Amino acid sequence: MARFKGQAEYSVDAKGRTAIPAKMRSALSPDALGTFTLTKGFEQCIYVYPMDEWKIKEEEYGNLNTNNRDARHLVRMILMWAEEVSLDGQGRISLPKALSDYAGIGDKVLIIGAMDRIELWNPEHFATYLLEHTDDQETLAEKVMGS
Amino acid sequence: MARFKGQAEYSVDAKGRTAIPAKMRSALSPDALGTFTLTKGFEQCIYVYPMDEWKIKEEEYGNLNTNNRDARHLVRMILMWAEEVSLDGQGRISLPKALSDYAGIGDKVLIIGAMDRIELWNPEHFATYLLEHTDDQETLAEKVMGS
DNA sequence: GGAATTCTCCCCACTTTTCCCCACTTAGTC
DNA sequence: GACTAAGTGGGGAAAAGTGGGGAGAATTCC
C-alpha cells in the first residue's frame, strides 16, 4: 500500500496541469503505472488514488448492495466524478475541469499526502477548513484511536 | 526500540541542515537505514522518528476508517506534516521549511532525546516552556507514575 | 462532408531547489 | 601534542518544478 505524506503548494499552469511532488511519486507502487483516478473528495477537495489503490475502492463499491437506494446513490455520486489521468514526461497530471471547478482550484493547489490517496485543495479553502476544525490532536486521537 | 537521550544545541546552516548528534546516531537501529520521519510535535517542536519506529505509527493510521469524519481529519492533520528525510554523508538531515517555520527554528536548534523519538526545539521556546512548567519533577512523577 | 477551431498530449527549455561531495574547524582522546 | 572523530560550511552536479510550442486527434460549425 502506498503511504503518501507531506504537503506542498504547487502551481497549476494555464493548461490546467499540476506536478505531483517527487516524494509522492517515489512512494507510488510500480503497479500504478503512473496512472491515477481522480474523484470528488469530501470537504471540497479532490482525491487522487493511484491506479492500484483505486482498484481496491472499485471492488468495495462493486460489492455494495445495489438494491439499497443509498448504496446506489453513493456509487453514482462517486463514479460519475471519477476520471483517470496519467503522469506526463515531467511528472504532471492535468486536472479535469469538472473537478477543479468543484474544488475551486485556480492557479495554486495545495497537495496533501493522506495515506492511500493524495488530496488536492484550494489553499484558501484548506485554511478555512483548518479554522473550522480546531479540535486539538490529543482529543481527536483519543476519540478515534482511544480505548 | 531505540532509546534516545541527552540534549545538545546545534546550529542550522544556511541550507536548513542540522546534524544529528553522534550519540543519537549510534543509538539508531540498523533497520532505520539512516532515515527519519519528521512531524509536528506538541508544544511547538518537531518530532523526529527513526524510520522503523514511524512504520509502527503509520500502520495504525492506515487501519483507520476514512469514511469516519474525525478519523479523516486526524489522518490529514498528522500526515500533512510528516516528511521523510535521510542522513547525508556528514550525519545531517535537512529540515523541511513547513516544520521549521512551525517550530520557529532559526539558525540554532535544541536537540533532545526522548525515548523512541528525538525532539527539535527553538532553544528560546524551550526555555520559555520550562518557565511555564515549573512543577518540580518529584510532584510530576507522583502525578504521572504514582500509585 | 469538409474546414476551422479547440483540445490533448508530447516534447523542449529554463529556473530553482536538492543532494552529494570535498574541505575546514573544533573538540576530544591517547 | 598529534591523531581521530564530530560538527560546520560551501561548490557543483543532478533532479525537480514551471512554462510554452507544436503535432495530431477530436469536436464543432458551416
Side-chain angles (χ1 to χ4, degrees), chain A residues 42 61 64 68-81, chain B residues 67:
Chain A
F42 296 128
Y61 299 135
L64 290 179
N68 176 296
R69 179 185 300 271
D70 289 338
R72 217 155 52 221
H73 183 67
L74 180 67
V75 169
R76 280 192 194 118
M77 287 304 102
I78 290 170
L79 292 186
M80 72 175 284
W81 290 94
Chain B
N67 290 318

Side-chain angles (χ1 to χ4, degrees), chain B residues 101-119:
Chain B
D101 283 352
Y102 161 71
I105 292 175
D107 59 354
K108 286 284 164 194
V109 61
L110 181 67
I111 304 177
I112 300 179
M115 294 303 290
D116 59 338
R117 66 167 180 264
I118 297 170
E119 296 186 353

Side-chain angles (χ1 to χ4, degrees), chain B residues 124-144:
Chain B
E124 282 121 46
H125 284 182
F126 188 72
T128 311
Y129 167 79
L130 283 185
L131 291 177
E132 287 169 355
H133 296 78
T134 47
D135 309 11
D136 67 292
Q137 273 184 35
E138 282 103 339
T139 314
L140 257 184
E142 194 171 330
K143 205 152 84 183
V144 177

Side-chain angles (χ1 to χ4, degrees), chain A residues 10-11 15 17 22 90 92:
Chain A
Y10 275 22
S11 54
K15 294 180 179 178
R17 295 174 302 186
Q90 277 72 251
R92 294 175 292 195

Side-chain angles (χ1 to χ4, degrees), chain A residues 37-41 46-47 54 58 61 71-84 96-100 102:
Chain A
T37 297
L38 273 57
T39 191
K40 191 168 155 177
I46 301 176
Y47 285 173
W54 176 253
E58 223 169 33
Y61 299 135
R72 217 155 52 221
H73 183 67
L74 180 67
V75 169
R76 280 192 194 118
M77 287 304 102
I78 290 170
L79 292 186
M80 72 175 284
W81 290 94
E83 193 98 30
E84 198 171 301
K97 199 165 166 322
L99 285 171
S100 59
Y102 161 71

Side-chain angles (χ1 to χ4, degrees), chain B residues 23-39:
Chain B
K23 292 250 176 72
M24 296 183 191
R25 285 201 311 262
S26 59
L28 279 174
S29 134
D31 298 340
L33 299 171
T35 303
F36 299 90
T37 297
L38 274 57
T39 190

